[in-house]
Amino acid sequence: MSPDYYLKLIRRYWLILIVGLLLGTAAGLGAGLVQPKVYTANSSGFLNTSTETATNSSNSVALASAADTYAKSRAQSYADLGQTRVVADAVIQELGLTGSAEGLVGNVQVTVPSDTVTIQVSAKASDPQLASDIANAWISAMANEIRKLETGGSSTAAPTVQLTPMESAVIPTSPSSPNLPLFSSIGGLTGLILAFVFALLKGQYDKRIRSTADVEAITDHPIVGKLPMEKSLTESESRLSPDAKATHDVRVRGSVQLLNESLRELRTNLEFLDVDNPPRSIVVTSALPGDGKSTVAANLATMIAQSGKQVVLIDGDLRKPTVADSFNIPGEIGLTDVLAGRVELENAVHRWAQEVDMFILPSGSIPPNPAELLASKTMRDLVTSLTEEGVVVVIDAPPVLPVTDASILAAHFDGALVVASANVTRTDSLEQALNKIDSVQGRVLGLVLNRVPTKGFDRHAYGYYGNSYYYQKDVSEKTGKNKSK
C-alpha cells in the first residue's frame, strides 16, 4: 500500500480517527483519576570524613583527597544500606507507623548521584505530610546506622565517615502520581492507533464503490455518466429532475442545473458510443434495488426528448413498476395489455408534454410471468417497430441480481445502462450484475454513477464536481444583471 492510500484513508475516515483519539484520551484520563494519589518527598545528606583526622595530618590536602575518595567508595554501599529493613524498622518506630518494614522499603528509593558523596532519599505516601516525615526520618535512621558501622558500635569512638543531613524534605503540594497528562497521552495514542486499525480494516473490507478506480478495477466497461446527488430527488418521491427556472433559491437552482447538465452529458456520451449506429433501444437497470435506475431512466428519456428526438419510455419493471407514479399518469393499462393484444399501443401510451415528443408506456397490470412476457417475440417486435421509425426507446428494467428480466432485455435490444449508486453499491454486486448480463450475451453500453457527492472528500474520489459553484455563480450574475435592469 502506497502512502497515498493511507492519506486517502485518513481523509476518508478522519471522523473515526478523531472519535478514537477523544475516547482514548477520555479513557486514559478516567483511568488516571481512579488511581490512588501518591505524594513524593525528597531529602538528602552527604558523607563526610572526620575533621579531626584531617587536621592532625601533616599533609591535609592529600588526606582530604583520600578521605573524599574513601567516602565516595562507601557511598553506594551505604545507599544499599538505606534499602534494608533495619532502617525501615527504625523509621517505623520513630514515626509510630503500623505498616510492615517490607512495604515501607518498597515506597522509599535511595540513590547516589554519580561521582558524589550525596545520598538522596525519595519517599512516597498517600499523605503529603507523611511522605515528608518519612523522607526526613529515613536520613536520620541511615545516619545512625552508618555511625554504628563506622565505630563498631562504640559510643566514644569517632567515625571515619558519617552521614550529615543536608536538605530536609518539603511537604509536597501536588501528587506525583497518577500523572494525568501521561495517562491522557497514552490513552489518546492508544485510541488513535485502534481507530486507525479499524479504519484500515474498514477500508479493506468495505466494498462499496468509493471512487471511479473501484469501478475500473472490476470492469472495462466505460463510465458514461456521473450524476450528482440532488436533495430534491432524495428527499421526495419524485424521480424527475426539477425545473431550474421553477425555484428562486439560487443555491437550489445551481444544483438542479448541475444535475441537468450531467444528464445532457450522459445523453451525449450515449450518442458517441457508436456514432454511425447509436443505440435506439436502451435498457436501464442496476445490480440491486435502491440504486436509482428508475430515476435515471425517467430523466434520461426526458433529456433525449428535449434534444428533439421522439422517445418512448417503457416501464419494463413488471414486478414493482414506478414510471406511472413518477409521471403522475394512470398505470392500469400499459405494456402487459399491449403484449397480450388487449390494447393497441396508441391507446396505452401517454404523451408527457406538448412541447416534446415523449411518450410513456406504463407497465399495466402485474402479470404472473414477467420474464416470459419480456422475453417474448411480441416484446421484441414492439420495440423493433418503434426503433425502425426513428424512436428512441428507453426501458426501465428491474434490477439484475434478484431476477433475470433485465439480462433478457439487455440481450434482445441494443444494450443496457447499469446504474450504480456512489457509496452504496458494492463492487462485488456490480461485478456479479455485469457478469450476469455477459453470460446471456447481453451488451453493456456503460455504467452510470448516480448520487455522486458534490461536497466533502468523496467528490475528489470520483474526480467530478470539484467546483460546482460555476453554475451557481452564473445564475447569481444573471440574477444580479436582471435586477440592475
Side-chain angles (χ1 to χ4, degrees), residues 316-340:
D317 192 341
L318 303 184
R319 302 170 191 269
K320 292 184 178 181
T322 59
V323 171
D325 292 337
S326 297
F327 288 88
N328 195 24
I329 59 175
E332 294 78 9
I333 298 176
L335 176 62
T336 55
D337 301 285
V338 173
L339 296 180

Short mmCIF file of all heavy atoms in Angstrom, two decimals, residues 316-340:
data_model
loop_
_atom_site.label_atom_id
_atom_site.label_comp_id
_atom_site.label_asym_id
_atom_site.label_seq_id
_atom_site.Cartn_x
_atom_site.Cartn_y
_atom_site.Cartn_z
N GLY A 316 -40.54 -1.37 -17.93
CA GLY A 316 -40.31 -2.81 -18.08
C GLY A 316 -40.17 -3.53 -16.76
O GLY A 316 -39.88 -4.73 -16.74
N ASP A 317 -40.34 -2.81 -15.67
CA ASP A 317 -40.31 -3.46 -14.36
C ASP A 317 -41.72 -3.93 -14.04
O ASP A 317 -42.53 -3.20 -13.46
CB ASP A 317 -39.81 -2.47 -13.30
CG ASP A 317 -39.48 -3.15 -11.98
OD1 ASP A 317 -39.95 -4.29 -11.77
OD2 ASP A 317 -38.76 -2.56 -11.16
N LEU A 318 -42.02 -5.13 -14.45
CA LEU A 318 -43.38 -5.67 -14.29
C LEU A 318 -43.61 -6.27 -12.91
O LEU A 318 -44.65 -6.90 -12.68
CB LEU A 318 -43.63 -6.74 -15.36
CG LEU A 318 -43.45 -6.28 -16.82
CD1 LEU A 318 -43.81 -7.40 -17.78
CD2 LEU A 318 -44.27 -5.03 -17.09
N ARG A 319 -42.66 -6.07 -12.00
CA ARG A 319 -42.79 -6.59 -10.65
C ARG A 319 -43.07 -5.45 -9.66
O ARG A 319 -43.94 -5.55 -8.82
CB ARG A 319 -41.53 -7.35 -10.25
CG ARG A 319 -41.24 -8.52 -11.19
CD ARG A 319 -39.87 -9.13 -10.94
NE ARG A 319 -39.52 -10.07 -12.01
CZ ARG A 319 -39.78 -11.36 -11.99
NH1 ARG A 319 -40.44 -11.89 -10.97
NH2 ARG A 319 -39.42 -12.14 -13.00
N LYS A 320 -42.30 -4.35 -9.79
CA LYS A 320 -42.51 -3.18 -8.94
C LYS A 320 -42.45 -1.93 -9.82
O LYS A 320 -41.47 -1.18 -9.80
CB LYS A 320 -41.45 -3.11 -7.84
CG LYS A 320 -41.58 -4.22 -6.81
CD LYS A 320 -40.56 -4.06 -5.69
CE LYS A 320 -40.72 -5.15 -4.64
NZ LYS A 320 -39.74 -5.01 -3.53
N PRO A 321 -43.47 -1.69 -10.62
CA PRO A 321 -43.45 -0.55 -11.55
C PRO A 321 -43.50 0.78 -10.81
O PRO A 321 -44.14 0.91 -9.77
CB PRO A 321 -44.71 -0.76 -12.39
CG PRO A 321 -45.62 -1.59 -11.52
CD PRO A 321 -44.72 -2.47 -10.71
N THR A 322 -42.81 1.78 -11.38
CA THR A 322 -42.77 3.11 -10.75
C THR A 322 -42.99 4.24 -11.73
O THR A 322 -43.20 5.38 -11.32
CB THR A 322 -41.40 3.32 -10.07
OG1 THR A 322 -40.36 3.21 -11.06
CG2 THR A 322 -41.15 2.30 -8.97
N VAL A 323 -42.92 3.97 -13.01
CA VAL A 323 -42.95 5.04 -14.01
C VAL A 323 -44.26 5.82 -13.95
O VAL A 323 -44.27 7.06 -14.02
CB VAL A 323 -42.73 4.46 -15.43
CG1 VAL A 323 -43.00 5.53 -16.49
CG2 VAL A 323 -41.30 3.95 -15.56
N ALA A 324 -45.38 5.14 -13.83
CA ALA A 324 -46.68 5.83 -13.80
C ALA A 324 -46.73 6.81 -12.63
O ALA A 324 -47.20 7.95 -12.78
CB ALA A 324 -47.81 4.81 -13.70
N ASP A 325 -46.25 6.40 -11.47
CA ASP A 325 -46.26 7.29 -10.31
C ASP A 325 -45.29 8.46 -10.51
O ASP A 325 -45.58 9.58 -10.09
CB ASP A 325 -45.88 6.51 -9.05
CG ASP A 325 -46.94 5.51 -8.65
OD1 ASP A 325 -48.11 5.71 -9.04
OD2 ASP A 325 -46.61 4.53 -7.95
N SER A 326 -44.15 8.20 -11.14
CA SER A 326 -43.17 9.26 -11.36
C SER A 326 -43.74 10.37 -12.23
O SER A 326 -43.48 11.56 -11.98
CB SER A 326 -41.90 8.69 -12.00
OG SER A 326 -41.28 7.76 -11.14
N PHE A 327 -44.52 10.00 -13.24
CA PHE A 327 -45.07 11.00 -14.16
C PHE A 327 -46.52 11.35 -13.85
O PHE A 327 -47.15 12.09 -14.60
CB PHE A 327 -44.95 10.49 -15.60
CG PHE A 327 -43.54 10.49 -16.12
CD1 PHE A 327 -42.72 9.39 -15.92
CD2 PHE A 327 -43.04 11.59 -16.79
CE1 PHE A 327 -41.42 9.39 -16.39
CE2 PHE A 327 -41.74 11.60 -17.28
CZ PHE A 327 -40.91 10.50 -17.06
N ASN A 328 -47.02 10.76 -12.78
CA ASN A 328 -48.38 11.07 -12.32
C ASN A 328 -49.42 10.80 -13.43
O ASN A 328 -50.25 11.66 -13.76
CB ASN A 328 -48.48 12.51 -11.83
CG ASN A 328 -49.74 12.76 -11.03
OD1 ASN A 328 -50.31 11.84 -10.45
ND2 ASN A 328 -50.18 14.01 -11.00
N ILE A 329 -49.33 9.61 -14.00
CA ILE A 329 -50.27 9.22 -15.06
C ILE A 329 -50.94 7.90 -14.65
O ILE A 329 -50.40 7.16 -13.82
CB ILE A 329 -49.57 9.05 -16.42
CG1 ILE A 329 -48.47 7.98 -16.31
CG2 ILE A 329 -48.98 10.37 -16.90
CD1 ILE A 329 -47.79 7.65 -17.63
N PRO A 330 -52.08 7.55 -15.23
CA PRO A 330 -52.73 6.27 -14.93
C PRO A 330 -51.85 5.10 -15.36
O PRO A 330 -51.22 5.14 -16.42
CB PRO A 330 -54.02 6.31 -15.73
CG PRO A 330 -54.26 7.76 -16.02
CD PRO A 330 -52.90 8.38 -16.14
N GLY A 331 -51.79 4.06 -14.55
CA GLY A 331 -50.93 2.93 -14.88
C GLY A 331 -51.67 1.61 -15.00
O GLY A 331 -51.03 0.55 -15.10
N GLU A 332 -52.99 1.66 -15.01
CA GLU A 332 -53.75 0.42 -15.06
C GLU A 332 -53.62 -0.29 -16.39
O GLU A 332 -53.65 -1.53 -16.48
CB GLU A 332 -55.24 0.67 -14.78
CG GLU A 332 -55.55 1.15 -13.37
CD GLU A 332 -55.24 2.63 -13.18
OE1 GLU A 332 -54.95 3.30 -14.20
OE2 GLU A 332 -55.27 3.10 -12.03
N ILE A 333 -53.49 0.49 -17.46
CA ILE A 333 -53.33 -0.08 -18.81
C ILE A 333 -51.95 0.29 -19.30
O ILE A 333 -51.51 1.45 -19.21
CB ILE A 333 -54.39 0.48 -19.77
CG1 ILE A 333 -55.79 0.08 -19.27
CG2 ILE A 333 -54.16 -0.04 -21.18
CD1 ILE A 333 -56.90 0.67 -20.11
N GLY A 334 -51.23 -0.72 -19.83
CA GLY A 334 -49.88 -0.44 -20.28
C GLY A 334 -49.26 -1.57 -21.06
O GLY A 334 -49.93 -2.24 -21.87
N LEU A 335 -47.99 -1.84 -20.80
CA LEU A 335 -47.19 -2.78 -21.60
C LEU A 335 -47.80 -4.18 -21.62
O LEU A 335 -47.90 -4.81 -22.68
CB LEU A 335 -45.76 -2.83 -21.03
CG LEU A 335 -44.81 -3.83 -21.69
CD1 LEU A 335 -44.60 -3.50 -23.16
CD2 LEU A 335 -43.47 -3.85 -20.95
N THR A 336 -48.17 -4.69 -20.47
CA THR A 336 -48.71 -6.06 -20.43
C THR A 336 -49.98 -6.19 -21.26
O THR A 336 -50.20 -7.23 -21.90
CB THR A 336 -49.00 -6.47 -18.97
OG1 THR A 336 -49.88 -5.52 -18.35
CG2 THR A 336 -47.71 -6.54 -18.15
N ASP A 337 -50.79 -5.15 -21.28
CA ASP A 337 -52.02 -5.20 -22.07
C ASP A 337 -51.71 -5.16 -23.55
O ASP A 337 -52.39 -5.82 -24.36
CB ASP A 337 -52.91 -4.03 -21.69
CG ASP A 337 -53.26 -4.04 -20.21
OD1 ASP A 337 -54.09 -4.86 -19.80
OD2 ASP A 337 -52.65 -3.25 -19.45
N VAL A 338 -50.67 -4.38 -23.94
CA VAL A 338 -50.28 -4.33 -25.35
C VAL A 338 -49.72 -5.67 -25.78
O VAL A 338 -50.04 -6.18 -26.87
CB VAL A 338 -49.26 -3.20 -25.57
CG1 VAL A 338 -48.72 -3.24 -27.00
CG2 VAL A 338 -49.88 -1.85 -25.28
N LEU A 339 -48.86 -6.28 -24.95
CA LEU A 339 -48.26 -7.57 -25.29
C LEU A 339 -49.31 -8.68 -25.35
O LEU A 339 -49.19 -9.62 -26.16
CB LEU A 339 -47.17 -7.94 -24.27
CG LEU A 339 -45.95 -7.01 -24.21
CD1 LEU A 339 -44.96 -7.49 -23.15
CD2 LEU A 339 -45.25 -6.92 -25.58
N ALA A 340 -50.33 -8.55 -24.54
CA ALA A 340 -51.40 -9.57 -24.55
C ALA A 340 -52.39 -9.35 -25.69
O ALA A 340 -53.26 -10.20 -25.93
CB ALA A 340 -52.13 -9.55 -23.21
#
